[in-house]
Amino acid sequence: MATIQNKEQIAEVSKKLKKEQRTLAFRRIRSNYGLLIGASVLAILIILAVFGPMLSPYDPYEMKVVERLSEPGGAHVLGTDEFGRDLMTRLLYGARVSLGVGLAVALISSSLGLIIGVYAAYYRTLDHILMRICDGLIAIPGILLAIALMAALGASALNVIIALTIVFTPNIARVVRSSALVVREQTFIEAMQAQGASATRIIWLHIVPNTLSPLLVQATFVFAEAIISEAALSFLGAGIPAPEPSWGNILQASKLVIFKAWWMVVFPGAAVVLSVLSLNLLGDGLRDLLDPRVKQKQSK
Amino acid sequence: MLAYITKRLLSLIPVLAVVSIAIFLIIHLTPGNPAAAILGMEASQEDIERLNEELGLNRPIVEQYTSWIANVLRGDLGDSIFMHQPVSEAIAEHMLPTLSLAILAQIIAVVLAIPFGIIAAYKRGSLADYSLTGLSLLGMALPSFLLGLFLMLFVGVKLQWLPVAGYAPLSSGFWEHLKYLILPGISLGTIQAALITRMTRSSMLEVLNLNFIKTARSKGLHEMKVLFKYAFRSAFLPILTVIGQTFGTLVTGAVVVESIFNIPGLGQLILNSIARRDFAVIQGVVLVVTLMYVTINLLVDLLYGAVDPRVRLDRKK
């Protein structure tokens, strides 16, 4: 009888604790303005990218020579480009490409980096080989490596994703590995090994969950970096090929008409800055949220 | 110290080996036959075979790598198929504008960032601090090529204060040379300025809370003296590291910014080679810039080790 009561009590206490924890977490999120602003702006951008193209009355590829380089306002809210295509429509379609490439790179390089990082942390020999490869790839300046890879692979959205994944995976692998190493050294891992738990079980059930918060923070920054890199590559003519719109290749086109059409520089540029800024805020906010030690250290 | 230098140099060997293998392998990522890709659509089978023979692409891959790396170690980066000149010569010709730009950007960054960082730290929590911190956040979100375009639009096109694009070599006069590099220099330097401002601020904040600063103040020393002679000197080391590390980034960044302002540096060299699939040039530029990057970082590390003995001991672990 007593034990049942105890169990109930424990259940009640733990329920209360969980609730308290949740309100605490909620309060921390609410007081974290950077996180809130970053997340909301990003959400708006993603909604625009997903639904915006459906709302636009224009075709992003339809050229109207008569309307070329019309100023913003009137029928074309953000003006038209050098072929008379509606800039707003092209920016919305471009958002799909630019944000899509960024997200794809962030997701794929996080997954690969996670696998490489945790296995490197667990197996010493593998660690030496994998980390030397990562060190080597990190040593090559990212944008140059991406340019060289694009030169070999050829310009296309898929190849941009492949090239940038090769550039960013080593960084993520390093971050994951360093937090996985901390977990790996702990006594409970040794205990599990002594009990005969398999490596796969230890890695995926115990090490991986402990590396997820730094991974999430890092993935947010990679998302931002990938958007910048895609824009730079496309701007340099080694990224997404025309006529498919991306923020970077609209900027590339804008350089040729910079004397006549300021709107072709300002609006796609603002789109890049806004998305990168919101991701950086989100990343900083997530870091404060998931690793409160950093914040305490900073505010000292 | 000698042990530390040796250790750092030895640790570079595997890194450089991987770098060279990665750069070598890039050409083999080309779908299909690289020789066919280089020559284009209208190339005959014989031409392709001949180029294959010339580039050694029909030999086993390990053999190709060993002969390539042997040449590279002798300073021979191969020949550019399109420019009919050795790659090392082409790189030497395009090196100066890139370096000029990187150095100017570094100067701009340091001159802006250090006072900004000190003010932000000293006036912590004030409007000045918030605006500077906000600006540096914006600066970090603004990719240099984008800032370059904005500057080109506002300062070059609208205000017409400075030339929109182009380049004049140093031989045509210092001011001429500088005039063309100011906008690219600001575009490139801003992101570094943002980084250095943040580093200066946090490094100064840490020092300003220490006891010896309180002692200096209670002795009645002038605030300026406390700030510069005491606090800044102790806070300088981490700032120096960031400056050193960002210089490597600047050289790379210059490659991108150059192409906006039509500066005939390494960036233009590599971009022109992409369309022509001139792989020897692409590999050469990436290799040389990576070497510069690695060397600069090594020098910063060694300098750091020389100035602060704790670093040498710390890294032995």
Side-chain angles (χ1 to χ4, degrees), chain A residues 176-259:
Chain A
V176 171
R177 171 183 172 271
S178 66
S179 51
L181 271 181
V182 177
V183 187
R184 199 206 177 286
E185 297 300 314
Q186 284 174 14
T187 329
F188 80 93
I189 299 288
E190 206 179 313
M192 295 210 63
Q193 284 168 331
Q195 279 178 353
S198 72
T200 318
R201 188 184 172 85
I202 296 177
I203 289 174
W204 288 97
L205 251 56
H206 299 278
I207 298 183
V208 168
N210 282 300
T211 61
L212 288 182
S213 19
L215 178 67
L216 183 63
V217 173
Q218 200 60 25
T220 318
F221 291 127
V222 166
F223 193 165
E225 286 278 317
I227 290 176
I228 295 180
S229 307
E230 181 277 317
L233 284 176
S234 301
F235 178 79
L236 297 173
I240 317 268
E244 190 175 10
S246 89
W247 294 341
N249 67 24
I250 297 174
L251 284 167
Q252 186 196 20
S254 81
K255 202 198 144 189
L256 299 173
V257 292
I258 196 164
F259 284 99

Side-chain angles (χ1 to χ4, degrees), chain A residues 22 35 76 81 92 215 227 249 252:
Chain A
R22 223 176 297 146
L35 182 79
H76 299 284
D81 70 359
L92 289 171
L215 178 67
I227 290 176
N249 67 24
Q252 186 196 20

Side-chain angles (χ1 to χ4, degrees), chain A residues 139 141 147 149 152 236 255 273, chain B residues 26 29-30 142 252 259-260 274 293:
Chain A
I147 289 175
L149 287 167
L236 297 173
K255 202 198 144 189
V273 175
Chain B
I26 283 172
L29 282 176
T30 314
L142 200 63
T252 335
S259 75
I260 309 169
I274 293 179
Y293 187 71

